[in-house]
Amino acid sequence: MKTKADSSNNAMPLKLNYKRTFIIGFAFFGILLLWQVYDSWCPTFLTELFKEALGAATIEEVQYLVGIMMAIDNLAALIMLPIFGNLSDKTHTKLGKRMPYILVGTFCCAVAFPFVPVFFHYHNLGGTIVMMAIVVFFAMMYRNPAVALMPDITPKPLRSKANGIINIMGYIGGAFATIVGIVFVLSSYLGVDSVNWINKTANIWLIEAPFLVASVLMVISALVLFFFINENKIEEEVRPEMELGEKLAQVENSVANDDEKPMSKANKIMLILILVAEFLWFMADNGISTFMGNYTLYYLHCETSSNMINTIVGGVGSVLGFLIGGILAGKIGRKWTILSGLGLTVASLLIWLILSLAIPVIVPEDGYNTFPIYLYFIWAIKGFGMSLVHVNSYPMVVELCSSKKVGKFTGYYYASSMAAQTITPICLGSLLLLDSFSFQLLPVYALSLTFVSFITFFFVKNIKVKKENIKKGLEALDVDD
């Protein structure tokens, strides 16, 4: 009997399995849920603890220390992500090669995460830092394998669309964390005058609840993945489509499924340019996201919940970008889609800079200021632009490797982003020590780096996907059970 695997590659149309892709997205749901809570609360935790420990008069005096601590976490990730990616490539178990890392990493991370605010509440700087380090270690254990799971079972030409779905699931996870942050307000815990936090008895549940919710949802997302995704079975089923996907890959030179064969010079140059540009745009984007909570609370003198709402607005813009990013890439190529996203981001940051300089911030005598409306529009545009970048950049990297090296190349992708996230908090935190640089100039930092990233990516080779053997229109919506 003739099987599907025996069919000619040329007769086999490629179609994205949306149901399976959404389920795989639960892995990314847990990842962004974790980091949204981590990035929203931990910099302020560290600010208050360092200020108390050093007796600092202003929060600017300790921002470089906050930046260093956030950078050390990212430095650990820079080392561990490639290691766990490479290990998972070589792992063979009844659960698959990625699932053991996803399950162990998620459950250990979920147990440790709620202890971060507990140590903060009891003014324990050392304990807070140690728990943050434990969380980062186990998060890095499962992050690379979780992300690599999608390209493991998705043909190369369909990965931008699949990555869009994965990212939407991630942003839904981030939205959960953000909504909880609106309900349980960090500024309410600290008080209007945050210095008084040292001497007041605050309600610990205002800061504990978001971490507990994140842990519970992370466990649920891992269990959904475990019960509905059989790695070994699916890899065998999609083998013919994966082989066809190799032939239709958007690369200058074909990629051999051979561990010993080196990359071609053209593909290596393409990889380096992508990683350098990625490093720069993560320097920009992570720099402002790390300090945006402090920017809102200490510079704008607005409630922290305002930043949470702003994050949701940016997330809505991102979801729109994820929905059309893959489709747009199919029409104009991934390169021009990414450049369009970077261009929009540059424009939004330029508007932010102009308005920031033109509209002075008045320190309120009592209570909080109203969050600037223009920042909502800027974050929506920036979110849309950067989603066009993210939805296509990762597929471009794993396009340049064989199926045997997906974890390794995923490690390259995250090594670049984590290197940026290691350096950028220190750079920006150090700049804030200068009398000539203040929170008002935050957009200058991001704007300059994003612009250089745009110029770098301009030199990446543009290769459009071949149209044959890829289902279009309603046909592409077919879903296999």
Side-chain angles (χ1 to χ4, degrees), residues 251-285:
V251 293
E252 192 160 358
N253 299 127
S254 60
V255 177
N257 200 25
D258 184 352
D259 289 341
E260 302 301 323
K261 190 171 182 179
M263 290 181 71
S264 69
K265 182 179 179 181
N267 285 355
K268 189 175 292 186
I269 291 172
M270 189 172 175
L271 175 64
I272 291 171
L273 286 172
I274 294 170
L275 294 179
V276 170
E278 178 203 354
F279 174 83
L280 292 167
W281 73 58
F282 268 103
M283 280 277 289
D285 207 36

Side-chain angles (χ1 to χ4, degrees), residues 98-173:
R98 316 294 183 192
M99 198 64 70
Y101 298 93
I102 295 171
L103 295 177
V104 173
T106 300
F107 283 104
C108 291
C109 200
V111 171
F113 201 41
F115 286 96
V116 175
V118 171
F119 279 103
F120 168 70
H121 179 75
Y122 290 104
H123 304 266
N124 190 324
L125 175 61
T128 302
I129 291 172
V130 169
M131 294 313 301
M132 287 171 61
I134 292 173
V135 167
V136 168
F137 177 83
F138 286 106
M140 293 310 109
M141 176 183 286
Y142 78 81
R143 180 166 185 164
N144 187 316
V147 174
L149 189 58
M150 182 275 285
D152 277 344
I153 55 180
T154 305
K156 288 184 174 180
L158 302 178
R159 287 176 183 171
S160 284
K161 288 183 179 179
N163 202 35
I165 293 171
I166 297 296
N167 276 277
I168 288 173
M169 289 296 292
Y171 271 75
I172 292 173

Side-chain angles (χ1 to χ4, degrees), residues 31-105:
I31 291 170
L32 278 198
L33 175 64
L34 168 72
W35 290 119
Q36 182 62 52
V37 174
Y38 187 91
D39 286 338
S40 295
W41 273 267
C42 287
T44 305
F45 286 175
L46 292 173
T47 295
E48 294 294 336
L49 289 170
F50 278 127
K51 189 171 63 174
E52 177 185 7
L54 300 177
T58 65
I59 58 98
E60 284 81 7
E61 292 178 37
V62 299
Q63 290 310 296
Y64 78 99
L65 291 173
V66 175
I68 289 173
M69 292 313 307
M70 298 300 287
I72 288 175
D73 290 345
N74 293 324
L75 178 60
L78 173 62
I79 297 169
M80 289 184 290
L81 280 170
I83 291 174
F84 285 117
N86 203 26
L87 280 174
S88 65
D89 277 341
K90 299 173 182 178
T91 298
H92 301 283
T93 72
K94 292 182 179 180
L95 294 177
K97 58 185 178 182
R98 316 294 183 192
M99 198 64 70
Y101 298 93
I102 295 171
L103 295 177
V104 173

Side-chain angles (χ1 to χ4, degrees), residues 383-399:
F384 179 81
M386 288 308 300
S387 67
L388 296 182
V389 174
H390 294 313
V391 78
N392 288 291
S393 55
Y394 173 64
M396 287 186 79
V397 170
V398 290
E399 198 98 330

Side-chain angles (χ1 to χ4, degrees), residues 212-224:
L212 284 173
V213 170
S215 290
V216 170
L217 291 177
M218 283 165 60
V219 171
I220 292 173
S221 68
L223 290 175
V224 169

